[in-house]
Amino acid sequence: MSSVHLEGVTKSFKDMVAVDNIDLDVREGEFLSFLGPSGCGKTTTLRMIGGFEQPTSGKIFLGEDNVAGLPAYKRNVNTVFQSYALFPHLAVAENVGYGLKRKKVGKDETKKRVEEMLELVDLPGYGDRRINQMSGGQQQRVALARALVNRPGVLLLDEPLGALDLKLRKQMQLELKRIQSEVGITFIYVTHDQEEAMTMSDRIAVMNAGHFEQIGAPQDIYEFPATEFVASFLGASNLLDGDVESGDGGMTRVKLAVGSTVSVPTNRMPAGAGHVRVGVRPEKLHITGAGATGDGGGTSANGHGANAVEAQVMVSTYIGVSTSYECRTSDGSKIVVYVQNLGNSAQPIGAGATVRLSWDPEHTFAVGANGGGK
Amino acid sequence: MAGEGRRKLTPYLLTLPGVGFLVVFFAIPMATVFSVSFQEGSLSQGFTFTGHWQNYTDTLARYDTQLIRSLMVGLIVTIMTLVISYPMMYWIAFRGGRRKNIYLLLILLPFFTPFLIRTLMWKTIFADEGILLGFLKDVGLVSDSYQVLATMTAVISGMVYNFLPFMALPLYVSLEKMDPRLLDAAADLYSSKRQAFLKVTLPLSYPGLFAGSLLTFIPAVGDPINPELLGGVNTTMIGQVVQREMLTNNAYPRGSAISFMLMAVILIGVFLYARVLGTEEMTG
C-alpha cells in the first residue's frame, strides 16, 4: 500500500495538451475516482501513473519514489484494463500467475497465491478454464485477480465495469468495494459514470479539459460543487445569475437577476467574484402556489430568512416517486424542482401556475460566472 | 415426423456440392494415382497392376538426392520468408495505422503479374551480364566468371520472392487480430518489451506462423518452375523429377510413386511441426 502524489504533471500529444499541470495527493488505502467526460484526460492521467505514458513534465511519486520516466514494468503498480486485456492463449491460472512468474516467485508460492486470489474474486476452481470460456463478468474478476495477486502498492482501474450490463455492474461495484476494504490497497478508479464514482469512492476528483475541477468526498462534491462544470456534471443543478451585494459573518447576500436577494454561506462563495451564479439542487427546493406565504420554511434554523424566487411552472411531470416541475423565472432562467410524493392527496401544480420557490440558505452554493467553462 | 427427418438431413444435403466436388476432383484422382504407383509397363505396351512397392524403392534409391535437396530448399525458403515477413507484418499490423491496407497492397502488387513472368524477370536480373551482375562486374566488385543463374542461390531467391505473400498474409492476419492492449497488460505485469514479445505476441502469432509455413513449405518442396528457370544441372528438385517422369518419360507409375512419397514425407513433417507449436490446441 502506498500513497500517490502528482506534482505539476503535464502531458501533451503533439500540440494538444491532454493533462494540464495537475497536482494530486492520493492517501494510502484510499479509494479515489477520476470522474469526467470522455477526453477530459482521466485515462491519460491513470496511464501516466501506470507508466504506459510518460509525462511531458512534472513528477509522479509512488510512496517516496519519483517514478516519472520509469517504464510500466518497473513500477509497483498494477492495472485492471477497460477491456480486461486478458491473454487469450493462457488459461485462467496462467493469466493470474503471469506477473508472479515474471517476478520469479517460486512455483508453489505462485500456485498458492493464485488460488487464494481466485477465491477472493469468487472464482475458486476456475484455474484451468480458458479465457474464451468465461463470461464478461468472470473475465472482469480474472483481470482483477491478475492485478491484485502481485500485491501492488496501488491498483489502477480504467473503467473496468464499462463492458458489463447494469445489474452486473451494480453487483461488481459492491464487490470491488468489498475487495478493496479486504486487501487495503490504494485504488485509483477511472469512470465517467457519476453514480459509480459516488457509490464506491472515498474521494472523487472531477476532471475536465485536462485539469481537476474539484477533489473531495462524494457528499461535498454533490452538495457544494465548486465550479459550474461540477454543478452540472454531477446531478442536476439550478443556476441563477446574480451580483454580490454584501456579506455579514457567515452569509453573503447576492442580488439575483430575477429580482430577489438570497443568502449564500460565505465559505461557499468563489473568492473575489462580483458576478456569480447561485446554485441549488432540484430536490432542495420547496414549491408553493403564489400568495401562500409562510410555507417552505419561512425562517431557517440559523435565523436567516429562506431564499426564494418567483417562477412560472412550464411543465409538470408525475414520475411516481416524485413529481418534477420545470419552471421559468421572469428573466428566462430555467429552474427544475423535484418534489417527493409523500401523500396521495397532494395535487400536482398544473402548468402555467405562478409559484414561489424557496430553499434553505444552507443548501445554497455559488460558482464563478464563467467557472468551469462548460 | 417427415419435417423433422428433413431438418436432420439438411446439414448433410448442404455439404453435398462440396463433397461431390472433392470426390470427383480429389478423392478419385488420388486413388487413381495411388493405384498407378503400383503398376508397371510403358505407354506402348500398356500398364499392369503389380501390387508391390518396387516403384517406391527404385525411385527412392535413384532420386534420394533430389528429394533431400527439395526438403532442404523448402526448409530454407520457409525460414527465409519467415525472417523477412515477420518484422514487416509486425510493423504493418501494429504501426501501420490508417495506411495498413496500402502497405499490404504494395506487398501484393508484384503478384498481379503471372508466376512465370515474375520468375523469368529474376532470370533477367540474375543473368551473367544482366543488370545486376553486369554492373557489379563493370565496377569490378565480382570476378567476370562469377554467376548466380543456375545455382542454388538463384533458385532459393526466386522461391523466397515468389512465396513471400503465402507466409506474410497469414502472419499479418494473426498479428493484426491481436489486441495491442495485451502489450500494455504484459508491461503492467513486469514484462520488458522483449519478454512481452516472447510470452505474448509470438505465441499469439503461432496460428499464422503455422499456416504460413505450410503454405510456403509444401509448394516450395514440390515446385518445378523456379529450379527449372533459375537453376541448373546441380539444382534439380523433386518437382522437376516428377514432371520429367510424367511428361517426358511417360513413366506414370514412377512419377506417381514419387508424388506419394513426397506427400507422405510432408504430412509427417507437418504433423511433427504442429506438435511442436501446439497449434492443434489453439485451432481446435
Side-chain angles (χ1 to χ4, degrees):
Chain A
M1 167 162 56
S2 56
S3 57
V4 179
H5 176 64
L6 305 187
E7 225 176 87
V9 171
T10 296
K11 175 72 185 178
S12 2
F13 297 103
K14 290 182 182 150
D15 45 358
M16 205 265 296
V17 179
V19 173
D20 192 5
N21 192 24
I22 57 168
D23 299 306
L24 175 71
D25 266 306
V26 187
R27 300 171 199 133
E28 275 186 24
E30 184 177 28
F31 195 128
L32 182 116
S33 295
F34 291 165
L35 175 65
S38 53
C40 70
K42 56 190 193 298
T43 293
T44 306
T45 309
L46 193 82
R47 288 176 64 82
M48 283 193 283
I49 300 171
F52 308 111
E53 307 278 358
Q54 298 300 343
T56 312
S57 64
K59 290 176 184 164
I60 297 171
F61 291 92
L62 295 178
E64 302 292 304
D65 315 314
N66 180 7
V67 295
L70 273 188
Y73 67 94
K74 289 187 177 162
R75 295 187 187 190
N76 185 24
V77 168
N78 288 107
T79 309
V80 177
F81 294 90
Q82 192 168 11
S83 52
Y84 318 140
L86 295 171
F87 303 122
H89 59 300
L90 300 178
V92 168
E94 291 171 306
N95 263 281
V96 177
Y98 185 96
L100 296 178
K101 207 169 163 187
R102 297 285 91 71
K103 277 210 282 194
K104 306 246 184 291
V105 173
K107 259 204 179 128
D108 295 338
E109 165 87 5
T110 300
K111 197 162 174 264
K112 199 178 123 245
R113 276 168 70 176
V114 167
E115 269 165 21
E116 274 173 19
M117 219 17 94
L118 287 176
E119 199 115 342
L120 179 76
V121 299
D122 218 11
L123 287 174
Y126 280 76
D128 294 329
R129 299 278 185 103
R130 302 207 73 81
I131 297 304
N132 56 20
Q133 296 173 315
M134 310 286 277
S135 71
Q138 290 173 327
Q139 291 190 14
Q140 214 287 317
R141 288 158 194 266
V142 176
L144 188 64
R146 185 178 68 171
L148 281 176
V149 76
N150 306 295
R151 297 175 185 158
V154 181
L155 186 74
L156 308 177
L157 302 104
D158 185 7
E159 307 218 18
L161 308 182
L164 304 180
D165 61 54
L166 189 66
K167 196 176 157 214
L168 204 50
R169 201 153 69 213
K170 298 263 180 219
Q171 191 187 328
M172 278 309 293
Q173 287 172 4
L174 299 174
E175 191 93 333
L176 268 177
K177 191 68 192 159
R178 168 185 72 83
I179 289 170
Q180 198 250 347
S181 54
E182 216 160 296
V183 296
I185 291 173
T186 311
F187 274 36
I188 301 181
Y189 192 98
V190 162
T191 181
H192 63 264
D193 181 335
Q194 45 155 314
E195 204 185 315
E196 197 166 286
M198 297 267 211
T199 313
M200 294 192 285
S201 320
D202 295 324
R203 283 194 305 157
I204 297 174
V206 183
M207 247 186 134
N208 180 38
H211 67 272
F212 292 121
E213 292 274 337
Q214 189 175 2
I215 303 174
Q219 304 89 299
D220 293 341
I221 289 192
Y222 181 79
E223 299 292 346
F224 310 115
T227 67
E228 187 172 339
F229 176 82
V230 177
S232 49
F233 189 76
L234 259 95
S237 283
N238 299 305
L239 293 171
L240 300 165
D241 287 304
D243 291 300
V244 177
E245 262 189 349
S246 62
D248 73 79
M251 287 290 170
T252 301
R253 306 284 293 165
V254 177
K255 181 154 175 58
L256 297 179
V258 296
S260 54
T261 302
V262 295
S263 305
V264 183
T266 304
N267 56 7
R268 285 172 215 145
M269 290 293 297
H275 186 68
V276 295
R277 305 197 76 188
V278 172
V280 59
R281 296 288 187 184
E283 72 278 9
K284 303 286 195 307
L285 287 161
H286 300 278
I287 185 165
T288 41
T293 51
D295 196 7
T299 325
S300 73
N302 63 8
H304 287 271
N307 293 330
V309 292
E310 291 239 319
Q312 198 178 22
V313 175
M314 308 303 288
V315 185
S316 89
T317 314
Y318 178 76
I319 305 171
V321 61
S322 62
T323 303
S324 129
Y325 297 97
E326 196 182 312
C327 309
R328 204 168 288 278
T329 59
S330 57
D331 73 334
S333 304
K334 201 180 92 177
I335 301 181
V336 177
V337 185
Y338 300 149
V339 179
Q340 245 192 308
N341 293 328
L342 294 173
N344 51 13
S345 59
Q347 270 302 318
I349 298 166
T354 303
V355 291
R356 180 169 182 269
L357 304 173
S358 59
W359 68 96
D360 192 320
E362 285 298 327
H363 292 148
T364 318
F365 57 86
V367 296
N370 301 315
K374 199 189 164 197
Chain B
M1 281 306 280
E4 196 178 307
R6 199 183 303 161
R7 205 174 308 148
K8 270 187 184 163
L9 266 180
T10 308
Y12 299 101
L13 288 173
L14 286 173
T15 62
L16 258 187
V19 170
F21 183 88
L22 281 178
V23 166
V24 175
F25 293 104
F26 179 71
I28 294 175
M30 282 292 277
T32 311
V33 173
F34 192 57
S35 118
V36 168
S37 73
F38 292 101
Q39 293 177 355
E40 62 177 14
S42 67
L43 201 56
S44 48
Q45 291 160 355
F47 295 101
T48 49
F49 190 78
T50 61
H52 55 67
W53 295 84
Q54 201 182 347
N55 286 328
Y56 287 85
T57 50
D58 280 359
T59 48
L60 186 60
R62 191 155 154 202
Y63 297 119
D64 58 339
T65 327
Q66 285 81 357
L67 183 63
I68 291 167
R69 180 186 290 143
S70 299
L71 292 170
M72 288 307 293
V73 167
L75 202 63
I76 294 170
V77 169
T78 307
I79 292 171
M80 285 183 72
T81 49
L82 177 64
V83 168
I84 294 171
S85 54
Y86 202 106
M88 206 154 67
M89 293 304 121
Y90 183 94
W91 190 86
I92 296 178
F94 289 108
R95 302 285 150 79
R98 274 179 304 162
R99 293 202 203 96
K100 275 179 186 174
N101 290 335
I102 296 176
Y103 295 134
L104 277 187
L105 183 71
L106 287 177
I107 285 172
L108 289 179
L109 211 53
F111 296 87
F112 286 86
T113 323
F115 183 63
L116 209 58
I117 309 260
R118 263 180 284 140
T119 313
L120 283 169
M121 297 287 208
W122 278 91
K123 201 166 173 166
T124 320
I125 295 169
F126 282 149
D128 291 350
E129 298 299 332
I131 49 172
L132 182 65
L133 291 188
F135 173 74
L136 291 177
K137 283 172 184 175
D138 284 348
V139 299
L141 275 175
V142 296
S143 73
D144 279 353
S145 61
Y146 185 78
Q147 68 173 103
V148 175
L149 217 53
T151 66
M152 218 63 236
T153 313
V155 176
I156 290 175
S157 306
M159 282 194 182
V160 168
Y161 170 72
N162 276 315
F163 292 124
L164 194 72
F166 298 101
M167 177 64 90
L169 292 182
L171 267 181
Y172 174 77
V173 171
S174 65
L175 286 170
E176 217 271 333
K177 215 168 53 180
M178 188 184 134
D179 183 353
R181 280 170 294 200
L182 291 181
L183 295 178
D184 275 349
D188 187 62
L189 298 163
Y190 321 111
S191 297
S192 61
K193 286 203 165 141
R194 192 173 150 253
Q195 279 176 322
F197 175 77
L198 291 176
K199 298 290 176 191
V200 178
T201 313
L202 188 61
L204 283 174
S205 66
Y206 280 166
L209 213 147
F210 182 71
S213 303
L214 293 197
L215 289 177
T216 310
F217 182 76
I218 297 171
V221 171
D223 176 33
I225 308 281
N226 281 288
E228 189 69 41
L229 293 180
L230 303 172
V233 282
N234 295 325
T235 65
T236 310
M237 286 175 57
I238 203 75
Q240 291 168 284
V241 172
V242 173
Q243 199 178 36
R244 264 175 230 166
E245 290 288 9
M246 287 284 207
L247 302 179
T248 314
N249 302 344
N250 294 326
Y252 303 132
R254 283 212 300 270
S256 305
I258 303 168
S259 302
F260 261 86
M261 261 189 297
L262 184 62
M263 207 167 76
V265 171
I266 289 175
L267 278 177
I268 293 168
V270 166
F271 178 73
L272 292 177
Y273 185 53
R275 286 299 285 271
V276 171
L277 276 186
T279 316
E280 296 154 296
E281 197 187 326
M282 250 183 290
T283 51

